[in-house]
Amino acid sequence: MAAVVAHPSAATKPSIGLPGRRYDHVFFSAMALLVLVTVFVGFARTYYLAGVFHAALPSRIIHLHGAAFSCWVLLLVTQASLVSAGRVDIHRRLGIAGFLMACLMVLLGVLAATDALVRSGGNPNTDPKVFYIIPMTDMLVFAILVFFAFRARANPPAHKRLILVATVALMIAAIARWPVALVHRNPVAAALLSYLFLLILVAYDFWSTRKVYRATLWAGAFLIFVQQVRIPIGKTAAWQAFAAWVLSIAR
């Protein structure tokens, strides 16, 4: 399961005495579908069921941003399905497109975040300059994890775990739009709920291999650390000055 290139290796074969590894294809396909459902529920009313490009979004860059991120989720499901079907050849070729798409997503994510800053968007209960650090750090985490996933493409177990955690880094926007009072327009609560994906991955690692993969540990810890320190950083004078500088240029 990956949105970038993955090459088969001995690491993909179930280890002796660890029969749970044979369920990798099922697990990562199910996780990709869970991501798809999570995103659809979050953006159904305002985007998908509103006609996608006919939806009443505030700017063209937000339309492009939504389309690219939707394509990433669809590619994630497609890649997981191809591996499950044994079509690794097609999976590899699509992987190149996936890596290029990830690069485009980072660019569009930064532009969309800046557009929201200019419009004083984001959470209405939060200073826009503070909120700006949330999508910016989401792009930072996503970019770093996808980069390491690309480097680890010859190591499928690590590669697909890095791709999954990188995608989890993008889930807050969708979860924060669920029609549930606990998380609606609450990025902190949405982040905590997104960690369920990480807990499921840790549980599966331990069940299937009797250990937790290093990629799961460091990627998950990195994601949680960045998400927990960014709001305090966003309230500092240094970040406020940076956001004000970006705002002055963008305007």
Side-chain angles (χ1 to χ4, degrees):
M1 185 287 299
V4 296
V5 184
H7 299 298
S9 71
T12 62
K13 299 178 181 179
S15 302
I16 297 176
L18 298 175
R21 280 289 305 278
R22 73 182 65 174
Y23 297 107
D24 270 15
H25 297 336
V26 175
F27 174 77
F28 285 100
S29 293
M31 291 297 284
L33 289 173
L34 183 58
V35 168
L36 177 65
V37 171
T38 300
V39 171
F40 181 81
V41 171
F43 291 103
R45 183 181 63 84
T46 59
Y47 187 57
Y48 298 118
L49 299 183
V52 186
F53 279 100
H54 295 291
L57 299 184
S59 68
R60 181 174 299 177
I61 191 63
I62 301 300
H63 277 287
L64 295 174
H65 166 77
F69 280 62
S70 298
C71 287
W72 173 265
V73 174
L74 292 175
L75 183 61
L76 187 74
V77 175
T78 300
Q79 290 288 68
S81 300
L82 287 170
V83 172
S84 295
R87 296 309 308 266
V88 180
D89 54 334
I90 302 177
H91 174 90
R92 292 176 185 171
R93 290 195 291 270
L94 280 179
I96 298 298
F99 180 74
L100 295 176
M101 181 180 292
C103 296
L104 176 63
M105 288 167 61
V106 173
L107 174 61
L108 290 174
V110 171
L111 292 176
T114 304
D115 177 75
L117 176 65
V118 171
R119 293 181 290 100
S120 297
N123 191 323
N125 299 318
T126 304
D127 181 342
K129 295 186 182 67
V130 175
F131 184 84
Y132 185 56
I133 200 172
I134 294 178
M136 292 295 284
T137 49
D138 284 345
M139 291 302 96
L140 174 66
V141 172
F142 178 76
I144 290 174
L145 293 181
V146 168
F147 169 75
F148 280 102
F150 182 76
R151 288 188 59 186
R153 62 193 183 278
N155 180 3
H159 173 82
K160 57 193 174 186
R161 283 164 172 81
L162 290 172
I163 288 293
L164 178 59
V165 178
T167 304
V168 172
L170 308 177
M171 301 301 293
I172 292 177
I175 296 174
R177 286 169 173 79
W178 280 4
V180 178
L182 180 64
V183 296
H184 189 69
R185 297 295 179 181
N186 187 336
V188 175
L192 293 175
L193 188 59
S194 73
Y195 298 159
L196 286 176
F197 286 90
L198 303 181
L199 290 175
I200 293 171
L201 180 58
V202 168
Y204 175 76
D205 277 2
F206 189 76
W207 174 79
S208 62
T209 66
R210 302 297 184 266
K211 67 177 182 180
V212 180
Y213 272 94
R214 183 186 304 174
T216 299
L217 288 173
W218 82 256
F222 174 62
L223 170 63
I224 293 172
F225 173 78
V226 172
Q227 290 185 347
Q228 295 306 307
V229 302
R230 62 188 177 185
I231 296 300
I233 293 175
K235 295 179 180 179
T236 63
W239 180 263
Q240 291 283 312
F242 170 73
W245 173 75
V246 171
L247 186 57
S248 66
I249 293 177
R251 282 176 171 168

